[in-house]
Amino acid sequence: MSALLPLTIVVPLFGAALSLLAINSRTLQRSISVVCAAVTTAISVAILIGVDRNGTEVAAIGDWPAEIAVNLVADRFAALMLTISSTMLLAVLLYALGQATDDERSRWYHPAYLVLIAGVSGAFLAGDLFNLFVWFEVLLIASYVLLTLEGNDGQIRAGTTYVVLNVIESFVLVTGVALIFAATGTLNMAVLPERLAELPDGIRLGLNLLLLIAFGLKAAVFPLFSWLPDSYPAAPSPVSAVFAGLLTKVGVYAIIRTQTLLFPDTNRELLLVIAGLTMVIGVLGAIAQSDMKRILSFHIISQIGYMIMGVALGGVAAISATIFYMLHHIPVKTSLFLVEGIIERETGSSTLERVSGLARRSGPLAVLFLIPAFSLAGLPPFSGFLGKTAVVTEGLDQRSWWIVAAAIVVSLLTLVSMLKIWSGAFWGAPETAPAGSDHGGILRNHPLMATVTTAVVTATLLIAVFAGPLYRFCERAAIDVTDAASYPSAVLP
Amino acid sequence: MSWEQALLIGVLAGTGTYLVMHRTLTRIILGLGLLGNAINLLILTSGDGPGVAPIIGQDGDFTDPVPQALVLTAIVIGFGVTSFLLAMAYRAWTIDGTDEVEDDIADRRIAESEASPQSDRSEADAIPDRGDPS
């Protein structure tokens, strides 16, 4: 069973190598990508089922004893994240094939995309801090390539900020890792909790802050978010859909992991303030924008605030709310970018001033936008309502009134900025109606893109429908995550 | 950690940070290189016993071999990232003859609206989000 864990990394990496060999055949490259992404998804579903039934799986690479081996560890939380991310990566890959932009036609798109899949899987499964850093680098380098693939002026400008800031983030992370090694003599995440607990409080706080800064920059929390709305819109829609849905969430995952496992009893007051500011500043940024991609990019930041809020509140109930929130957020955010991609493909622009009247041109497209938009804003009965209710209820239970107030106000403001997209792009008279694009015409013009988007939107609805069992799963995952003894005892014999 | 090591790490990190603050991409890359090497040396110091070989079982002291393996990985990653950045700096230079990092779109719009407060918003919005592919 544990032999499946390395496969989620090996299969896409091997596919990337094959894809490089097949550099001259686009059909071959596309088939390799689809097969590898589908196999990775299937494997991660198998891991998820196995882990839920039998408990945490551990793969000690090289058969070293678990204390010194570089382990791959899948508990319920990691397996859930792995499954949802590989599913989204597969969906966006199919969408990109349907979109067939210049990027996707580039010979380097598919190898880079497969390396990205491997990096994301590795980051979720890493059971060693340095290994976590390495997989972060793998997915970052793949994302650098995907972001700047067209190599035009805008992408190079956005890419420079993105790459330089992420390199500095890596430096902070490595410094943290080096100092943790100097202080404890190990980087194994199963051994670290015990050794870190022996350190003086001041040193532990310093190490914790270094990791928080590094992962916080990756997750785009206040005040380390400014790179995000500047760089994501420069990428073509399928790429920014993946970045928006997944990459920041890998940072959130790392924050949850390190805060609950390595530094379980730190004071979270600071984190709570950061969460509040992240929500508010993100949504205010979104309201001020007039480009769909930039609005959606600012929303990522404000939504990250809700997840950090759950981490800051701590405890089983808050962590399970956060896990559920991440589970809902990834497909919702991805689908919004996918809808935006269809609009941009059809009208040639993502600026609200140049797009209008889409609702009259294509009713189904409007529905595809409205469902995830309402869900993101947290209106019932969509999945976002359940996620937000869970987080806010926990805030009420812990009597953190101001953060609850912030969360509710931000939710309303999210709705306002979504309505801005709605009234700008969907309402009003169609600006240019080319012949033959009547009701539903837009979706019929792009069958593969429309199918994938519909599938992802349906998935977000299913999350709301099956919220009961999913939430119970999230609770089981949160019990694993918050119980300090469960991770070490599962890894160490 | 010996004081020579500490001094070297400090000087490298300081000069690196100074260079990273510049607007020219080539200087930033040089700065990142220095900063990266400062951190590589920092990892090395966590191994204890400066000047001793990382071999278990030899007579006397030995150094922890793990940090050396970590540094090796960090150097390889640093090499890859630096070459990517250099390629990007070259690309920026072929596009507009300079590798200076520009302000982002929002900053340019604000700068423009401050320079001419009377001009309406649509003019400032005319700054293209993406340049022409070349």
Side-chain angles (χ1 to χ4, degrees), chain A residues 130 137 144 148 151 156 160 167 171 174-175 181-182 230 291 293 344, chain B residues 25 32 36 39 43 46 64 67 70 77 81 84 88 91 95 104 129-130:
Chain A
F130 196 79
E137 283 306 299
Y144 302 158
T148 55
I156 294 293
T160 310
V167 171
F171 286 165
V174 182
T175 311
F181 187 82
D230 198 29
D291 179 281
K293 270 186 173 173
E344 196 176 339
Chain B
L25 194 50
L32 291 176
I39 289 158
I43 304 178
S46 64
D64 190 343
L70 302 184
I77 291 174
V81 172
F84 184 83
M88 220 161 62
R91 183 76 191 171
I95 289 176
D104 64 26
D129 285 5
R130 293 204 209 175

PDB file of all heavy atoms in Angstrom, chain A residues 130 137 144 148 151 156 160 167 171 174-175 181-182 230 291 293 344, chain B residues 25 32 36 39 43 46 64 67 70 77 81 84 88 91 95 104 129-130:
ATOM      1  N   PHE A 130      13.537  19.362   4.899  1.00  0.00           N
ATOM      2  CA  PHE A 130      14.354  19.704   3.741  1.00  0.00           C
ATOM      3  C   PHE A 130      13.725  19.168   2.460  1.00  0.00           C
ATOM      4  O   PHE A 130      13.739  19.826   1.420  1.00  0.00           O
ATOM      5  CB  PHE A 130      15.778  19.161   3.892  1.00  0.00           C
ATOM      6  CG  PHE A 130      16.739  19.796   2.927  1.00  0.00           C
ATOM      7  CD1 PHE A 130      17.253  21.056   3.182  1.00  0.00           C
ATOM      8  CD2 PHE A 130      17.100  19.167   1.744  1.00  0.00           C
ATOM      9  CE1 PHE A 130      18.104  21.660   2.287  1.00  0.00           C
ATOM     10  CE2 PHE A 130      17.959  19.770   0.845  1.00  0.00           C
ATOM     11  CZ  PHE A 130      18.465  21.024   1.120  1.00  0.00           C
ATOM     12  N   GLU A 137      10.642  23.780  -4.309  1.00  0.00           N
ATOM     13  CA  GLU A 137      11.462  24.297  -5.404  1.00  0.00           C
ATOM     14  C   GLU A 137      11.041  23.681  -6.730  1.00  0.00           C
ATOM     15  O   GLU A 137      10.962  24.366  -7.748  1.00  0.00           O
ATOM     16  CB  GLU A 137      12.944  24.006  -5.145  1.00  0.00           C
ATOM     17  CG  GLU A 137      13.584  24.915  -4.140  1.00  0.00           C
ATOM     18  CD  GLU A 137      13.400  26.379  -4.492  1.00  0.00           C
ATOM     19  OE1 GLU A 137      13.867  26.790  -5.564  1.00  0.00           O
ATOM     20  OE2 GLU A 137      12.789  27.097  -3.696  1.00  0.00           O
ATOM     21  N   TYR A 144       7.615  28.843 -12.672  1.00  0.00           N
ATOM     22  CA  TYR A 144       8.327  29.935 -13.363  1.00  0.00           C
ATOM     23  C   TYR A 144       8.231  29.742 -14.874  1.00  0.00           C
ATOM     24  O   TYR A 144       7.976  30.677 -15.625  1.00  0.00           O
ATOM     25  CB  TYR A 144       9.824  29.961 -13.009  1.00  0.00           C
ATOM     26  CG  TYR A 144      10.180  30.114 -11.550  1.00  0.00           C
ATOM     27  CD1 TYR A 144      11.427  29.710 -11.091  1.00  0.00           C
ATOM     28  CD2 TYR A 144       9.292  30.663 -10.652  1.00  0.00           C
ATOM     29  CE1 TYR A 144      11.779  29.837  -9.758  1.00  0.00           C
ATOM     30  CE2 TYR A 144       9.634  30.787  -9.316  1.00  0.00           C
ATOM     31  CZ  TYR A 144      10.883  30.372  -8.874  1.00  0.00           C
ATOM     32  OH  TYR A 144      11.219  30.495  -7.574  1.00  0.00           O
ATOM     33  N   THR A 148       6.104  32.215 -17.680  1.00  0.00           N
ATOM     34  CA  THR A 148       6.805  33.057 -18.651  1.00  0.00           C
ATOM     35  C   THR A 148       6.949  32.381 -20.008  1.00  0.00           C
ATOM     36  O   THR A 148       7.821  32.753 -20.786  1.00  0.00           O
ATOM     37  CB  THR A 148       8.210  33.412 -18.133  1.00  0.00           C
ATOM     38  OG1 THR A 148       8.890  32.196 -17.837  1.00  0.00           O
ATOM     39  CG2 THR A 148       8.154  34.252 -16.893  1.00  0.00           C
ATOM     40  N   GLY A 151       6.911  34.531 -23.051  1.00  0.00           N
ATOM     41  CA  GLY A 151       8.094  35.383 -23.082  1.00  0.00           C
ATOM     42  C   GLY A 151       7.833  36.788 -23.594  1.00  0.00           C
ATOM     43  O   GLY A 151       8.748  37.450 -24.061  1.00  0.00           O
ATOM     44  N   ILE A 156       7.342  38.783 -18.784  1.00  0.00           N
ATOM     45  CA  ILE A 156       8.685  38.924 -18.220  1.00  0.00           C
ATOM     46  C   ILE A 156       8.636  39.861 -17.015  1.00  0.00           C
ATOM     47  O   ILE A 156       9.241  39.593 -15.975  1.00  0.00           O
ATOM     48  CB  ILE A 156       9.668  39.460 -19.281  1.00  0.00           C
ATOM     49  CG1 ILE A 156       9.860  38.443 -20.400  1.00  0.00           C
ATOM     50  CG2 ILE A 156      11.002  39.812 -18.663  1.00  0.00           C
ATOM     51  CD1 ILE A 156      10.569  37.181 -19.981  1.00  0.00           C
ATOM     52  N   THR A 160       9.488  38.469 -13.374  1.00  0.00           N
ATOM     53  CA  THR A 160      10.625  38.923 -12.583  1.00  0.00           C
ATOM     54  C   THR A 160      10.239  39.054 -11.114  1.00  0.00           C
ATOM     55  O   THR A 160      10.902  38.514 -10.239  1.00  0.00           O
ATOM     56  CB  THR A 160      11.098  40.293 -13.101  1.00  0.00           C
ATOM     57  OG1 THR A 160      11.243  40.195 -14.505  1.00  0.00           O
ATOM     58  CG2 THR A 160      12.414  40.679 -12.495  1.00  0.00           C
ATOM     59  N   VAL A 167      12.404  33.267  -4.895  1.00  0.00           N
ATOM     60  CA  VAL A 167      13.771  32.864  -4.558  1.00  0.00           C
ATOM     61  C   VAL A 167      14.105  33.342  -3.151  1.00  0.00           C
ATOM     62  O   VAL A 167      14.668  32.602  -2.334  1.00  0.00           O
ATOM     63  CB  VAL A 167      14.775  33.429  -5.584  1.00  0.00           C
ATOM     64  CG1 VAL A 167      16.194  33.205  -5.112  1.00  0.00           C
ATOM     65  CG2 VAL A 167      14.578  32.775  -6.931  1.00  0.00           C
ATOM     66  N   PHE A 171      15.087  31.292   0.268  1.00  0.00           N
ATOM     67  CA  PHE A 171      16.232  31.572   1.144  1.00  0.00           C
ATOM     68  C   PHE A 171      15.791  31.604   2.604  1.00  0.00           C
ATOM     69  O   PHE A 171      16.459  31.046   3.478  1.00  0.00           O
ATOM     70  CB  PHE A 171      16.883  32.902   0.769  1.00  0.00           C
ATOM     71  CG  PHE A 171      17.693  32.838  -0.494  1.00  0.00           C
ATOM     72  CD1 PHE A 171      18.086  33.983  -1.150  1.00  0.00           C
ATOM     73  CD2 PHE A 171      18.071  31.617  -1.030  1.00  0.00           C
ATOM     74  CE1 PHE A 171      18.835  33.931  -2.313  1.00  0.00           C
ATOM     75  CE2 PHE A 171      18.816  31.541  -2.192  1.00  0.00           C
ATOM     76  CZ  PHE A 171      19.200  32.719  -2.836  1.00  0.00           C
ATOM     77  N   VAL A 174      15.181  28.042   3.680  1.00  0.00           N
ATOM     78  CA  VAL A 174      16.407  27.272   3.913  1.00  0.00           C
ATOM     79  C   VAL A 174      17.089  27.731   5.190  1.00  0.00           C
ATOM     80  O   VAL A 174      17.612  26.904   5.946  1.00  0.00           O
ATOM     81  CB  VAL A 174      17.375  27.407   2.724  1.00  0.00           C
ATOM     82  CG1 VAL A 174      18.604  26.562   2.960  1.00  0.00           C
ATOM     83  CG2 VAL A 174      16.720  26.960   1.468  1.00  0.00           C
ATOM     84  N   THR A 175      17.094  29.048   5.432  1.00  0.00           N
ATOM     85  CA  THR A 175      17.690  29.539   6.678  1.00  0.00           C
ATOM     86  C   THR A 175      16.979  28.912   7.867  1.00  0.00           C
ATOM     87  O   THR A 175      17.621  28.426   8.805  1.00  0.00           O
ATOM     88  CB  THR A 175      17.560  31.073   6.753  1.00  0.00           C
ATOM     89  OG1 THR A 175      18.001  31.622   5.517  1.00  0.00           O
ATOM     90  CG2 THR A 175      18.400  31.633   7.873  1.00  0.00           C
ATOM     91  N   PHE A 181      17.946  22.564  11.984  1.00  0.00           N
ATOM     92  CA  PHE A 181      18.881  21.439  12.040  1.00  0.00           C
ATOM     93  C   PHE A 181      19.974  21.708  13.062  1.00  0.00           C
ATOM     94  O   PHE A 181      20.359  20.816  13.827  1.00  0.00           O
ATOM     95  CB  PHE A 181      19.496  21.179  10.664  1.00  0.00           C
ATOM     96  CG  PHE A 181      20.343  19.938  10.634  1.00  0.00           C
ATOM     97  CD1 PHE A 181      19.764  18.698  10.486  1.00  0.00           C
ATOM     98  CD2 PHE A 181      21.715  20.021  10.786  1.00  0.00           C
ATOM     99  CE1 PHE A 181      20.529  17.548  10.497  1.00  0.00           C
ATOM    100  CE2 PHE A 181      22.495  18.876  10.789  1.00  0.00           C
ATOM    101  CZ  PHE A 181      21.897  17.640  10.639  1.00  0.00           C
ATOM    102  N   ALA A 182      20.477  22.942  13.090  1.00  0.00           N
ATOM    103  CA  ALA A 182      21.538  23.277  14.042  1.00  0.00           C
ATOM    104  C   ALA A 182      21.030  23.133  15.472  1.00  0.00           C
ATOM    105  O   ALA A 182      21.763  22.702  16.367  1.00  0.00           O
ATOM    106  CB  ALA A 182      22.024  24.705  13.799  1.00  0.00           C
ATOM    107  N   ASP A 230      -0.111  40.774  -9.003  1.00  0.00           N
ATOM    108  CA  ASP A 230       0.693  41.320 -10.075  1.00  0.00           C
ATOM    109  C   ASP A 230       1.143  40.243 -11.052  1.00  0.00           C
ATOM    110  O   ASP A 230       1.278  40.502 -12.246  1.00  0.00           O
ATOM    111  CB  ASP A 230       1.918  42.012  -9.458  1.00  0.00           C
ATOM    112  CG  ASP A 230       2.556  42.953 -10.426  1.00  0.00           C
ATOM    113  OD1 ASP A 230       1.818  43.478 -11.280  1.00  0.00           O
ATOM    114  OD2 ASP A 230       3.772  43.155 -10.345  1.00  0.00           O
ATOM    115  N   ASP A 291     -10.251  44.618 -13.881  1.00  0.00           N
ATOM    116  CA  ASP A 291      -9.907  43.512 -14.769  1.00  0.00           C
ATOM    117  C   ASP A 291     -10.304  42.223 -14.056  1.00  0.00           C
ATOM    118  O   ASP A 291     -10.010  42.055 -12.873  1.00  0.00           O
ATOM    119  CB  ASP A 291      -8.400  43.542 -15.043  1.00  0.00           C
ATOM    120  CG  ASP A 291      -7.958  42.407 -15.937  1.00  0.00           C
ATOM    121  OD1 ASP A 291      -7.814  41.276 -15.441  1.00  0.00           O
ATOM    122  OD2 ASP A 291      -7.764  42.650 -17.128  1.00  0.00           O
ATOM    123  N   LYS A 293      -9.338  39.130 -14.164  1.00  0.00           N
ATOM    124  CA  LYS A 293      -8.288  38.298 -13.588  1.00  0.00           C
ATOM    125  C   LYS A 293      -7.705  38.922 -12.327  1.00  0.00           C
ATOM    126  O   LYS A 293      -7.371  38.218 -11.380  1.00  0.00           O
ATOM    127  CB  LYS A 293      -7.160  38.092 -14.605  1.00  0.00           C
ATOM    128  CG  LYS A 293      -7.341  36.888 -15.481  1.00  0.00           C
ATOM    129  CD  LYS A 293      -6.096  36.715 -16.326  1.00  0.00           C
ATOM    130  CE  LYS A 293      -6.135  35.448 -17.110  1.00  0.00           C
ATOM    131  NZ  LYS A 293      -5.007  35.386 -18.046  1.00  0.00           N
ATOM    132  N   GLU A 344     -12.417  35.208 -21.953  1.00  0.00           N
ATOM    133  CA  GLU A 344     -11.280  35.861 -22.596  1.00  0.00           C
ATOM    134  C   GLU A 344     -11.036  35.283 -23.979  1.00  0.00           C
ATOM    135  O   GLU A 344     -10.716  36.002 -24.921  1.00  0.00           O
ATOM    136  CB  GLU A 344     -10.033  35.702 -21.720  1.00  0.00           C
ATOM    137  CG  GLU A 344      -8.921  36.651 -22.118  1.00  0.00           C
ATOM    138  CD  GLU A 344      -7.728  36.567 -21.181  1.00  0.00           C
ATOM    139  OE1 GLU A 344      -7.892  36.102 -20.046  1.00  0.00           O
ATOM    140  OE2 GLU A 344      -6.640  36.967 -21.619  1.00  0.00           O
TER     141      GLU A 344
ATOM    142  N   LEU B  25      17.956  43.870 -13.183  1.00  0.00           N
ATOM    143  CA  LEU B  25      17.824  42.444 -12.919  1.00  0.00           C
ATOM    144  C   LEU B  25      19.181  41.754 -12.761  1.00  0.00           C
ATOM    145  O   LEU B  25      19.342  40.874 -11.924  1.00  0.00           O
ATOM    146  CB  LEU B  25      17.004  41.788 -14.046  1.00  0.00           C
ATOM    147  CG  LEU B  25      16.493  40.382 -13.779  1.00  0.00           C
ATOM    148  CD1 LEU B  25      15.784  40.282 -12.440  1.00  0.00           C
ATOM    149  CD2 LEU B  25      15.552  39.953 -14.883  1.00  0.00           C
ATOM    150  N   LEU B  32      21.338  37.805  -5.435  1.00  0.00           N
ATOM    151  CA  LEU B  32      20.755  36.535  -5.011  1.00  0.00           C
ATOM    152  C   LEU B  32      21.826  35.451  -4.918  1.00  0.00           C
ATOM    153  O   LEU B  32      21.783  34.596  -4.035  1.00  0.00           O
ATOM    154  CB  LEU B  32      19.647  36.107  -5.975  1.00  0.00           C
ATOM    155  CG  LEU B  32      18.377  36.949  -5.962  1.00  0.00           C
ATOM    156  CD1 LEU B  32      17.407  36.479  -7.040  1.00  0.00           C
ATOM    157  CD2 LEU B  32      17.695  36.870  -4.609  1.00  0.00           C
ATOM    158  N   GLY B  36      22.523  33.528  -1.582  1.00  0.00           N
ATOM    159  CA  GLY B  36      22.396  32.065  -1.585  1.00  0.00           C
ATOM    160  C   GLY B  36      23.637  31.406  -1.007  1.00  0.00           C
ATOM    161  O   GLY B  36      23.544  30.459  -0.218  1.00  0.00           O
ATOM    162  N   ILE B  39      23.770  31.628   2.707  1.00  0.00           N
ATOM    163  CA  ILE B  39      22.905  30.654   3.379  1.00  0.00           C
ATOM    164  C   ILE B  39      23.490  29.243   3.277  1.00  0.00           C
ATOM    165  O   ILE B  39      23.422  28.464   4.229  1.00  0.00           O
ATOM    166  CB  ILE B  39      21.489  30.749   2.810  1.00  0.00           C
ATOM    167  CG1 ILE B  39      20.868  32.056   3.295  1.00  0.00           C
ATOM    168  CG2 ILE B  39      20.631  29.592   3.267  1.00  0.00           C
ATOM    169  CD1 ILE B  39      19.750  32.545   2.466  1.00  0.00           C
ATOM    170  N   ILE B  43      24.221  26.758   6.404  1.00  0.00           N
ATOM    171  CA  ILE B  43      23.850  25.342   6.584  1.00  0.00           C
ATOM    172  C   ILE B  43      25.083  24.552   7.024  1.00  0.00           C
ATOM    173  O   ILE B  43      25.026  23.721   7.922  1.00  0.00           O
ATOM    174  CB  ILE B  43      23.299  24.738   5.279  1.00  0.00           C
ATOM    175  CG1 ILE B  43      22.127  25.551   4.750  1.00  0.00           C
ATOM    176  CG2 ILE B  43      22.887  23.295   5.496  1.00  0.00           C
ATOM    177  CD1 ILE B  43      21.581  25.034   3.431  1.00  0.00           C
ATOM    178  N   SER B  46      26.073  24.383  10.634  1.00  0.00           N
ATOM    179  CA  SER B  46      25.272  23.608  11.582  1.00  0.00           C
ATOM    180  C   SER B  46      25.841  22.205  11.777  1.00  0.00           C
ATOM    181  O   SER B  46      25.346  21.439  12.585  1.00  0.00           O
ATOM    182  CB  SER B  46      23.824  23.530  11.110  1.00  0.00           C
ATOM    183  OG  SER B  46      23.753  22.839   9.889  1.00  0.00           O
ATOM    184  N   ASP B  64      29.229  16.335  11.043  1.00  0.00           N
ATOM    185  CA  ASP B  64      27.968  15.729  10.619  1.00  0.00           C
ATOM    186  C   ASP B  64      27.878  15.790   9.095  1.00  0.00           C
ATOM    187  O   ASP B  64      27.963  16.878   8.515  1.00  0.00           O
ATOM    188  CB  ASP B  64      26.819  16.506  11.258  1.00  0.00           C
ATOM    189  CG  ASP B  64      25.492  15.804  11.069  1.00  0.00           C
ATOM    190  OD1 ASP B  64      25.429  14.924  10.192  1.00  0.00           O
ATOM    191  OD2 ASP B  64      24.530  16.140  11.768  1.00  0.00           O
ATOM    192  N   PRO B  67      24.503  18.068   6.819  1.00  0.00           N
ATOM    193  CA  PRO B  67      24.479  19.426   6.256  1.00  0.00           C
ATOM    194  C   PRO B  67      25.198  19.508   4.920  1.00  0.00           C
ATOM    195  O   PRO B  67      24.774  20.270   4.040  1.00  0.00           O
ATOM    196  CB  PRO B  67      25.197  20.264   7.312  1.00  0.00           C
ATOM    197  CG  PRO B  67      25.064  19.516   8.556  1.00  0.00           C
ATOM    198  CD  PRO B  67      25.029  18.074   8.190  1.00  0.00           C
ATOM    199  N   LEU B  70      22.857  18.481   2.378  1.00  0.00           N
ATOM    200  CA  LEU B  70      21.837  19.516   2.184  1.00  0.00           C
ATOM    201  C   LEU B  70      22.389  20.651   1.322  1.00  0.00           C
ATOM    202  O   LEU B  70      21.731  21.143   0.401  1.00  0.00           O
ATOM    203  CB  LEU B  70      21.369  20.078   3.534  1.00  0.00           C
ATOM    204  CG  LEU B  70      20.778  19.098   4.547  1.00  0.00           C
ATOM    205  CD1 LEU B  70      20.276  19.855   5.766  1.00  0.00           C
ATOM    206  CD2 LEU B  70      19.653  18.288   3.948  1.00  0.00           C
ATOM    207  N   ILE B  77      20.011  23.504  -6.735  1.00  0.00           N
ATOM    208  CA  ILE B  77      18.776  24.265  -6.952  1.00  0.00           C
ATOM    209  C   ILE B  77      19.113  25.718  -7.277  1.00  0.00           C
ATOM    210  O   ILE B  77      18.562  26.311  -8.208  1.00  0.00           O
ATOM    211  CB  ILE B  77      17.867  24.176  -5.706  1.00  0.00           C
ATOM    212  CG1 ILE B  77      17.328  22.758  -5.563  1.00  0.00           C
ATOM    213  CG2 ILE B  77      16.720  25.169  -5.796  1.00  0.00           C
ATOM    214  CD1 ILE B  77      16.553  22.514  -4.298  1.00  0.00           C
ATOM    215  N   VAL B  81      18.010  27.883 -10.636  1.00  0.00           N
ATOM    216  CA  VAL B  81      17.218  29.113 -10.558  1.00  0.00           C
ATOM    217  C   VAL B  81      17.999  30.283 -11.151  1.00  0.00           C
ATOM    218  O   VAL B  81      17.444  31.111 -11.879  1.00  0.00           O
ATOM    219  CB  VAL B  81      16.802  29.391  -9.098  1.00  0.00           C
ATOM    220  CG1 VAL B  81      16.166  30.748  -8.986  1.00  0.00           C
ATOM    221  CG2 VAL B  81      15.859  28.329  -8.610  1.00  0.00           C
ATOM    222  N   PHE B  84      17.889  30.225 -14.860  1.00  0.00           N
ATOM    223  CA  PHE B  84      16.576  30.664 -15.347  1.00  0.00           C
ATOM    224  C   PHE B  84      16.464  32.187 -15.290  1.00  0.00           C
ATOM    225  O   PHE B  84      16.005  32.822 -16.248  1.00  0.00           O
ATOM    226  CB  PHE B  84      15.471  30.028 -14.512  1.00  0.00           C
ATOM    227  CG  PHE B  84      14.093  30.349 -15.007  1.00  0.00           C
ATOM    228  CD1 PHE B  84      13.531  29.615 -16.034  1.00  0.00           C
ATOM    229  CD2 PHE B  84      13.368  31.405 -14.483  1.00  0.00           C
ATOM    230  CE1 PHE B  84      12.283  29.921 -16.519  1.00  0.00           C
ATOM    231  CE2 PHE B  84      12.114  31.727 -14.965  1.00  0.00           C
ATOM    232  CZ  PHE B  84      11.571  30.969 -15.975  1.00  0.00           C
ATOM    233  N   MET B  88      15.927  34.983 -18.218  1.00  0.00           N
ATOM    234  CA  MET B  88      14.861  35.976 -18.190  1.00  0.00           C
ATOM    235  C   MET B  88      15.417  37.386 -18.364  1.00  0.00           C
ATOM    236  O   MET B  88      14.813  38.220 -19.048  1.00  0.00           O
ATOM    237  CB  MET B  88      14.093  35.864 -16.880  1.00  0.00           C
ATOM    238  CG  MET B  88      12.624  36.034 -17.075  1.00  0.00           C
ATOM    239  SD  MET B  88      11.681  35.378 -15.710  1.00  0.00           S
ATOM    240  CE  MET B  88      12.246  36.384 -14.402  1.00  0.00           C
ATOM    241  N   ARG B  91      16.094  37.876 -21.927  1.00  0.00           N
ATOM    242  CA  ARG B  91      14.838  38.070 -22.644  1.00  0.00           C
ATOM    243  C   ARG B  91      14.341  39.517 -22.466  1.00  0.00           C
ATOM    244  O   ARG B  91      13.935  40.166 -23.435  1.00  0.00           O
ATOM    245  CB  ARG B  91      13.798  37.085 -22.107  1.00  0.00           C
ATOM    246  CG  ARG B  91      12.488  37.138 -22.807  1.00  0.00           C
ATOM    247  CD  ARG B  91      12.564  36.467 -24.146  1.00  0.00           C
ATOM    248  NE  ARG B  91      11.375  36.756 -24.917  1.00  0.00           N
ATOM    249  CZ  ARG B  91      11.225  36.444 -26.185  1.00  0.00           C
ATOM    250  NH1 ARG B  91      12.197  35.832 -26.830  1.00  0.00           N
ATOM    251  NH2 ARG B  91      10.128  36.729 -26.828  1.00  0.00           N
ATOM    252  N   ILE B  95      13.831  42.401 -25.421  1.00  0.00           N
ATOM    253  CA  ILE B  95      12.543  43.047 -25.688  1.00  0.00           C
ATOM    254  C   ILE B  95      12.682  44.567 -25.722  1.00  0.00           C
ATOM    255  O   ILE B  95      12.254  45.218 -26.671  1.00  0.00           O
ATOM    256  CB  ILE B  95      11.484  42.612 -24.645  1.00  0.00           C
ATOM    257  CG1 ILE B  95      11.095  41.155 -24.882  1.00  0.00           C
ATOM    258  CG2 ILE B  95      10.244  43.495 -24.729  1.00  0.00           C
ATOM    259  CD1 ILE B  95      10.156  40.600 -23.869  1.00  0.00           C
ATOM    260  N   ASP B 104       4.657  47.870 -11.461  1.00  0.00           N
ATOM    261  CA  ASP B 104       3.531  47.080 -11.949  1.00  0.00           C
ATOM    262  C   ASP B 104       2.428  48.008 -12.465  1.00  0.00           C
ATOM    263  O   ASP B 104       2.511  49.231 -12.355  1.00  0.00           O
ATOM    264  CB  ASP B 104       3.023  46.099 -10.896  1.00  0.00           C
ATOM    265  CG  ASP B 104       2.456  46.798  -9.679  1.00  0.00           C
ATOM    266  OD1 ASP B 104       2.015  47.938  -9.822  1.00  0.00           O
ATOM    267  OD2 ASP B 104       2.476  46.188  -8.602  1.00  0.00           O
ATOM    268  N   ASP B 129      -2.312  45.544 -20.342  1.00  0.00           N
ATOM    269  CA  ASP B 129      -1.981  44.565 -19.324  1.00  0.00           C
ATOM    270  C   ASP B 129      -0.877  43.632 -19.812  1.00  0.00           C
ATOM    271  O   ASP B 129      -0.101  43.106 -19.048  1.00  0.00           O
ATOM    272  CB  ASP B 129      -3.227  43.735 -18.982  1.00  0.00           C
ATOM    273  CG  ASP B 129      -4.173  44.556 -18.144  1.00  0.00           C
ATOM    274  OD1 ASP B 129      -3.868  45.734 -17.948  1.00  0.00           O
ATOM    275  OD2 ASP B 129      -5.189  44.011 -17.697  1.00  0.00           O
ATOM    276  N   ARG B 130      -0.846  43.417 -21.077  1.00  0.00           N
ATOM    277  CA  ARG B 130       0.192  42.531 -21.603  1.00  0.00           C
ATOM    278  C   ARG B 130       0.834  43.214 -22.800  1.00  0.00           C
ATOM    279  O   ARG B 130       0.166  43.858 -23.584  1.00  0.00           O
ATOM    280  CB  ARG B 130      -0.436  41.235 -22.135  1.00  0.00           C
ATOM    281  CG  ARG B 130      -1.034  40.383 -21.060  1.00  0.00           C
ATOM    282  CD  ARG B 130      -1.050  39.001 -21.604  1.00  0.00           C
ATOM    283  NE  ARG B 130      -2.146  38.235 -21.018  1.00  0.00           N
ATOM    284  CZ  ARG B 130      -2.433  37.004 -21.410  1.00  0.00           C
ATOM    285  NH1 ARG B 130      -1.744  36.450 -22.376  1.00  0.00           N
ATOM    286  NH2 ARG B 130      -3.404  36.353 -20.861  1.00  0.00           N
TER     287      ARG B 130
END
